[in-house]
Amino acid sequence: MTENGIGAAVRRKEDHRFITGKGQYVDDINRPNQLYAVILRSPLAHGKIKSLETDAAKAAPGVVAVFTGADMAAAGVGGLPCGWGITSSDGSPMAEPGHPPLAVDVVHHVGDQVAVVLAETKAAARDAVELIEVDYDDLPAVASLDAAGAEGAPLVWDDAPGNICFDWEIGDAAATDAAFAKAAQVVSIDIVNNRLIANAMEPRAAIGDYDSGKDEYTLFTTSQNPHVIRMLMGAFVLGIPEHKLRVVSPDVGGGFGSKIFHYAEEAIVTWASKQVDRPVKWTADRSESFISDAHGRDHVSHAELALSEDGEFLGLRVDTRANLGAYLSTFGPAVPTILYATLLAGTYKTPAIHARVRGMFTHTVPVDAYRGAGRPEASYLLERLVDRAAKVTGIDPIELRRRNFIKPDEFPYQTPVALEYDIGDYDAAVDKALELADYDNFAQRREESASRGKLRGVGIATYIEACGIAPSNVAGALGARAGLYEAGTVRVNPTGSVSVFTGSHSHGQGHETTFAQLVTEALGVDFDNVSIVHGDTAKVPFGMGTYGSRSAAVGGVALMNALEKIRTKSRKIAAHLLEASAEDIEFKDGKLTVVGTDRSVAFGDVAMAAYVPHNYPLDTLEPGLEETAFYDPKNFTFPAGCHICEVEIDPDTGVVDVVSFTAADDFGRIINPMIVEGQVHGGVTQGIGQALYEQCVYDDSGQLLSGSMMDYCLPRADNLPNFAVTTNVTPCTHNVLGVKGCGEAGAIGTPPAVINAVVNALSEYKIDDMPMPATPERVWQAIQSATN
Amino acid sequence: MTTKVSFTLNGEAVSAEVDSRTLLVEMIRENLGKTGTHVGCDTSQCGACVIHLDGRSVKSCTMLAVQAEGADVATIEGVATNGKLHPMQEAFREHHGLQCGYCTPGMIMSSLDLVKQNPDPDEKQIREWLEGNLCRCTGYQNIVRAVKAGAQAMRADD
Ligand code: FES
Ligand code: FES
């Protein structure tokens, strides 16, 4: 292993600026002469705008302009596009309502944008927003899936009858029916996957800066994928060609999916900046984040598993309704379909699977990808169902899982729901997790807890996810409206230092470190002589960004391919300098050496020769040393693993305490184990958050009741134990790095492990279900109803 | 109505004309240009804005700028001295106590106050102390490790 190369727990390059307060997040940026934008948002879930009076606001001190949806529409501004089209099982396309950045005539959820005030100070803008008078006709609203699907329910969109956006299916219904017909036993479950709000600690922000001298626009935005924003906003909303639009996402304070999407505010500040010919800055208050950041999850499902006499899974039938919110967010329709139902095979050899998914509109904030995006929903459903099957059949839950695992010699494995898994070893992950969790001695710990009046439970879950999204042609066939490759450029500077330009975007993942490790590994260049540039469309050639645990598996591989081109060219230059043949040149310790000799040239001298080509094969080779690669993956990657949770419940209060948590994950080859472990910690914490604390609550009229950090409970330091984390490596077979991705796994495997543990702890009360989040109130109530 | 507010910021005398409703964090970020102190919420829940006021950690979003008149204010920018990182900053890097970095200034400022009051905090005490600082990235485990190591290094330095 090269020092600081692949596999080393290198300390992070990016940390210095963050620990000294020198990070540069969007709200830290101020443009000369900038104005502040504050947005008036709908207080109603559904309402018709009868009148909108802005004169008083326009006249308020410090106010420069006020714009409404009518102004933007009159200027020809388009709607926010959806990046993924889903086709219903009857062949019809999904309902795709328009989504103007500022509402025109009708508001569709609390928080919908109605008008924007631009003023000299934020305070002046805030004051003026209060002066806008809107007269609404309060219309009936639907906030939940049940309400949206009820007979005669109010419609969110007239052209989506029954509030159905799409009614989609995957798998073989007839084969699944046949499997159920021959089943010895059938186990079923009703599952709710609770609605969540990502709550990255940095609220979203955007600055639009129009340069009238050049007729060029710059947008600074808190995005996980600035090129995607440039494409969507430029082409669909504002009609600005790429060469006139620069999108910069500097330091971004966490995303977890919520900063993938193209949001109205980005278009509003960019457009408004041109109208007033001044920079326009908008920063969300946390209260605004709650009602304008895309939410996550929100599924209601019924699932049935057909088993043979000896516990072999024969068939799986799933019916899911997914809340999409009022409008289609960028990837909204893909999450409960392509990213969810294709994962329903899990780690198991279930031969027949059929899933129906109905995407439904409600008068709520749009729902889109949140850490895991579809895969946590699949794994929660499946692993709760398998635990229930264990109970019904009397087979030990671990044994039942093992009996049905796809075995290492059965890869590549084609599932009945479209995916082909390349590699894995699920038994090995289970073995590691059991050992690390000291599972064998659980009974003793349970007794010890009981002696203190506490109920102890253990829960296990395995999971699989499809990451490294995606082979573009496959994604295209599935409805993606963009490619999903990644780009990377390696620029070797004349003195041999290296600048890398990657289309991946780091907002906590540490790419500035891990990607530099790849360069060090490939070129032998000192780690400190490498810098990673990301998040600026003016610098990076192209990029699809960071989400779905794709950065290493797609962006990292693109970078490796560019590095390989650099190596090839460097060998040719070295061959010339050393008067040898390129095939005989090897990279070693930062030098290029003629194999089997001590003749070598330092990499820095090769770089210098490329830029000062006095002694250089100019007739066959261009000067310079810079290469770009675009990499389109051949398949998804399939991280998988086993999580084990132990909880202790206080039966008097219902409080659930996670007392130990173990994760054994297979992420393929690992570039930086320290960073990977950190990703697992964060993911597990969000998973525990979903299982025990977090719940987005709307009342029946569509008011968000959990609209602040006082009402929406995020996991805190004193809620959590230390996690025991290990990995089990089966390298991905179809990318040069052998990597699979690690960002989401924690959030995927954790919720079912926690809830299985809670249900296990409550087994003496014959409680076999516990909705998420398992709050003290719910647990206490369940115990009360079981005992009374 | 604007008021002139003056205080010491990281050892230097500073002042600004601010609206009387201006929050201390707004004055620090907007008027004084020190953007290391962050804003993560509007309900005093997240701790991204923690600074020291007269030597105690406070949430700078939860007080008015005028309340800091004459005070001794310290922010993350003043923690390293002469380009040398403070042991607590070193510990956060060494133990991977940060990912996106947004919560980090508040975490470090909080932790420094903890160690001042309790030079050798155990894990439980650290977790309880940091209960008012949210981090959405790290799951806290490495932050707790960092604080423990930082405290140890600070004891060794004394
Ligand atoms: S900004 Fe959240 S507590 Fe101060
Ligand atoms: S490191 Fe991102 S919020 Fe703590």
Side-chain angles (χ1 to χ4, degrees):
Chain A
M1 184 168 82
T2 319
E3 194 201 349
N4 297 330
I6 293 176
V10 186
R11 300 304 183 259
R12 302 199 320 168
K13 273 180 184 292
E14 42 274 88
D15 286 356
H16 188 267
R17 65 180 186 272
F18 296 134
I19 56 184
T20 54
K22 300 290 188 205
Q24 208 186 33
Y25 303 88
V26 173
D27 190 56
D28 300 339
I29 296 171
N30 291 299
R31 307 295 287 171
N33 205 28
Q34 81 189 4
L35 295 171
Y36 294 81
V38 170
I39 289 169
L40 176 70
R41 296 180 182 278
S42 169
L44 300 177
H46 191 196
K48 187 161 175 39
I49 302 174
K50 284 197 297 190
S51 70
L52 181 51
E53 188 46 69
T54 60
D55 286 353
K58 281 180 179 152
V63 171
V64 172
V66 179
F67 297 112
T68 65
D71 297 324
M72 289 189 89
V77 172
L80 305 176
C82 179
W84 205 295
I86 293 295
T87 304
S88 290
S89 35
D90 67 3
S92 60
M94 67 181 186
E96 204 168 347
H99 188 185
L102 288 173
V104 180
D105 297 337
V106 180
V107 289
H108 291 95
H109 65 84
V110 170
D112 209 351
Q113 299 78 222
V114 173
V116 61
V117 173
L118 312 185
E120 300 289 348
T121 66
K122 193 165 179 179
R126 266 201 202 115
D127 289 346
V129 157
E130 304 280 315
L131 300 174
I132 300 176
E133 275 183 43
V134 193
D135 194 6
Y136 294 101
D137 245 347
D138 194 347
L139 300 173
V142 289
S144 67
L145 284 161
D146 283 344
E151 206 36 55
L155 291 185
V156 183
W157 302 101
D158 289 340
D159 52 1
N163 289 314
I164 290 178
C165 171
F166 56 78
D167 186 345
W168 175 91
E169 66 178 333
I170 190 169
D172 187 334
T176 306
D177 288 347
F180 275 82
K182 65 172 190 215
Q185 32 205 347
V186 171
V187 180
S188 69
I189 198 165
D190 288 295
I191 281 278
V192 176
N193 205 286
N194 45 327
R195 185 172 176 124
L196 302 176
I197 303 178
N199 273 302
M201 288 313 303
E202 177 206 24
R204 286 191 297 114
I207 307 171
D209 190 351
Y210 176 68
D211 178 340
S212 56
K214 294 183 180 161
D215 188 30
E216 284 176 7
Y217 300 77
T218 303
L219 168 67
F220 299 86
T221 181
T222 48
S223 175
Q224 302 177 213
N225 32 236
H227 281 91
V228 174
I229 303 305
R230 185 182 66 168
M231 183 162 65
L232 295 175
M233 184 178 82
F236 296 94
V237 188
L238 298 181
I240 307 168
E242 286 96 333
H243 68 296
K244 293 285 190 187
L245 175 59
R246 173 183 176 199
V247 179
V248 184
S249 297
D251 289 328
V252 172
F256 316 112
S258 69
K259 292 172 180 168
I260 299 171
F261 324 119
H262 176 34
Y263 284 99
E265 296 86 358
E266 295 168 323
I268 293 169
V269 296
T270 307
W271 177 81
S273 172
K274 177 166 183 180
Q275 310 311 305
V276 296
D277 200 6
R278 289 175 68 176
V280 175
K281 177 174 181 173
W282 168 82
T283 304
D285 293 337
R286 179 59 61 181
S287 315
E288 265 185 298
S289 310
F290 274 98
I291 52 172
S292 68
D293 291 6
H295 294 177
R297 318 281 195 257
D298 205 347
H299 286 195
V300 174
S301 301
H302 177 77
E304 297 169 310
L305 182 65
L307 296 103
S308 74
E309 199 64 58
D310 54 4
E312 193 188 335
F313 301 166
L314 303 176
L316 174 69
R317 198 186 274 140
V318 178
D319 189 343
T320 292
R321 288 171 292 146
N323 193 339
L324 301 172
Y327 302 99
L328 297 181
S329 176
T330 309
F331 288 127
V335 175
T337 50
I338 308 304
L339 296 174
Y340 161 72
T342 55
L343 273 306
L344 285 169
T347 48
Y348 310 111
K349 272 182 293 194
T350 314
I353 299 177
H354 180 259
R356 175 191 188 193
V357 179
R358 277 164 289 174
M360 318 254 318
F361 292 114
T362 59
H363 292 103
T364 62
V365 172
V367 179
D368 206 323
Y370 163 63
R371 201 170 197 163
R375 292 150 288 171
E377 294 90 320
S379 117
Y380 181 64
L381 177 140
L382 201 55
E383 293 298 304
R384 288 285 300 121
L385 185 58
V386 170
D387 246 37
R388 182 167 286 186
K391 205 173 263 181
V392 171
T393 58
I395 302 171
D396 173 80
I398 295 166
E399 171 55 24
L400 181 63
R401 287 178 167 87
R402 288 195 195 272
R403 264 184 219 178
N404 287 284
F405 277 158
I406 303 155
K407 299 295 174 188
D409 59 359
E410 291 169 324
F411 294 98
Y413 178 81
Q414 176 64 52
T415 75
V417 277
L419 298 176
E420 188 187 87
Y421 301 164
D422 62 335
I423 191 169
D425 188 345
Y426 310 138
D427 279 304
V430 170
D431 292 341
K432 279 202 165 178
L434 290 176
E435 198 194 324
L436 195 58
D438 187 27
Y439 185 81
D440 287 347
N441 294 312
F442 171 72
Q444 270 158 267
R445 294 193 293 278
R446 176 174 246 173
E447 252 171 59
E448 193 278 323
S449 297
S451 73
R452 287 181 286 109
K454 300 281 175 67
L455 307 165
R456 198 177 184 107
V458 64
I460 186 169
T462 62
Y463 71 88
I464 188 159
E465 47 172 336
C467 294
I469 183 166
S472 291
N473 51 358
V474 175
L478 295 172
R481 293 167 175 172
L484 283 157
Y485 46 83
E486 198 47 271
T489 294
V490 177
R491 177 180 300 157
V492 181
N493 300 305
T495 57
S497 68
V498 177
S499 307
V500 168
F501 303 84
T502 172
S504 299
H505 185 277
S506 186
H507 31 281
Q509 295 87 343
H511 299 160
E512 290 169 40
T513 302
T514 44
F515 284 5
Q517 289 179 254
L518 300 183
V519 176
T520 299
E521 180 83 26
L523 302 180
V525 174
D526 192 72
F527 183 72
D528 293 330
N529 284 336
V530 182
S531 67
I532 308 296
V533 178
H534 61 94
D536 186 343
T537 61
K539 295 179 181 166
V540 175
F542 206 76
M544 298 311 297
T546 289
Y547 40 83
S549 308
R550 69 193 299 272
S551 294
V554 193
V557 174
L559 175 55
M560 287 307 282
N561 291 352
L563 286 165
E564 193 49 45
K565 294 185 192 180
I566 294 282
R567 284 164 60 94
T568 303
K569 185 167 180 182
S570 301
R571 272 201 212 95
K572 289 182 186 161
I573 301 169
H576 178 88
L577 296 174
L578 296 167
E579 295 175 352
S581 134
E583 295 83 70
D584 294 337
I585 303 286
E586 62 174 4
F587 267 86
K588 220 176 165 184
D589 308 327
K591 287 189 207 137
L592 292 95
T593 306
V594 183
V595 190
T597 73
D598 57 1
R599 286 193 299 134
S600 67
V601 52
F603 181 68
D605 292 333
V606 169
M608 187 54 81
Y611 288 95
V612 186
H614 296 164
N615 175 17
Y616 193 87
L618 280 169
D619 44 347
T620 56
L621 214 53
E622 290 174 15
L625 196 51
E626 171 167 331
E627 298 287 354
T628 294
F630 281 66
Y631 170 70
D632 203 281
K634 292 187 210 50
N635 190 358
F636 298 89
T637 62
F638 298 98
C642 175
H643 292 180
I644 296 177
C645 177
E646 274 184 47
V647 298
E648 221 175 48
I649 296 177
D650 182 341
D652 296 333
T653 61
V655 169
V656 179
D657 207 6
V658 176
V659 286
S660 90
F661 196 96
T662 307
D665 299 297
D666 180 356
F667 300 133
R669 199 164 166 216
I670 283 165
I671 301 170
N672 184 323
M674 175 191 81
I675 286 177
V676 166
E677 203 177 300
Q679 288 290 312
V680 175
H681 291 170
V684 167
T685 298
Q686 290 184 9
I688 292 175
Q690 167 158 33
L692 297 181
Y693 304 112
E694 299 180 36
Q695 169 80 312
C696 172
V697 185
Y698 278 98
D699 73 7
D700 290 343
S701 71
Q703 289 295 328
L704 180 65
L705 302 184
S706 57
S708 84
M709 283 180 175
M710 297 172 74
D711 309 294
Y712 185 92
C713 182
L714 294 163
R716 292 174 184 269
D718 60 347
N719 299 139
L720 302 163
N722 282 323
F723 313 127
V725 173
T726 186
T727 54
N728 172 64
V729 175
T730 65
C732 171
T733 59
H734 55 79
N735 68 50
V736 291
L737 280 171
V739 297
K740 299 181 182 178
C742 67
E744 297 160 295
I748 297 172
T750 301
V754 175
I755 296 299
N756 285 344
V758 170
V759 170
N760 179 257
L762 298 174
S763 52
E764 67 183 74
Y765 298 98
K766 310 243 172 315
I767 291 168
D768 71 349
D769 202 11
M770 179 55 61
M772 297 193 291
T775 58
E777 191 204 348
R778 278 181 174 162
V779 173
W780 187 84
Q781 291 286 8
I783 293 173
Q784 296 312 303
S785 7
T787 42
N788 292 326
Chain B
M1 211 193 66
T2 66
T3 316
K4 182 170 174 182
V5 175
S6 309
F7 51 75
T8 312
L9 178 64
N10 302 327
E12 274 176 47
V14 295
S15 67
E17 285 287 336
V18 298
D19 250 13
S20 43
R21 62 180 161 180
T22 301
L23 300 173
L24 179 55
V25 68
E26 293 173 330
M27 174 165 162
I28 291 171
R29 288 180 55 81
E30 308 293 331
N31 300 79
L32 304 175
K34 293 280 184 255
T35 55
T37 303
H38 297 151
V39 178
C41 74
D42 44 16
T43 50
S44 298
Q45 290 290 306
C46 75
C49 61
V50 171
I51 58 155
H52 292 177
L53 187 95
D54 294 330
R56 291 296 310 267
S57 56
V58 298
K59 289 179 170 172
S60 62
C61 72
T62 309
M63 56 186 292
L64 296 168
V66 291
Q67 293 175 284
E69 176 66 34
D72 182 16
V73 175
T75 64
I76 188 69
E77 287 90 346
V79 174
T81 38
N82 305 324
K84 191 175 171 324
L85 291 179
H86 186 281
M88 188 61 81
Q89 291 171 312
E90 288 281 11
F92 267 71
R93 174 162 63 189
E94 180 58 27
H95 295 280
H96 192 30
L98 61 150
Q99 290 181 25
C100 78
Y102 200 75
C103 71
T104 311
M107 287 287 179
I108 291 177
M109 297 312 282
S110 264
S111 304
L112 287 174
D113 192 19
L114 165 65
V115 177
K116 195 163 145 193
Q117 297 185 37
N118 175 0
D120 188 12
D122 64 21
E123 173 170 337
K124 187 158 183 287
Q125 290 167 325
I126 297 170
R127 285 186 180 272
E128 277 168 6
W129 180 271
L130 292 179
E131 182 270 346
N133 290 73
L134 285 168
C135 173
R136 195 57 159 159
C137 299
T138 63
Y140 306 100
Q141 184 159 334
N142 288 344
I143 291 178
V144 174
R145 261 171 46 192
V147 174
K148 219 162 186 289
Q152 192 180 12
M154 284 164 70
R155 290 198 304 279
D157 271 8
D158 282 350

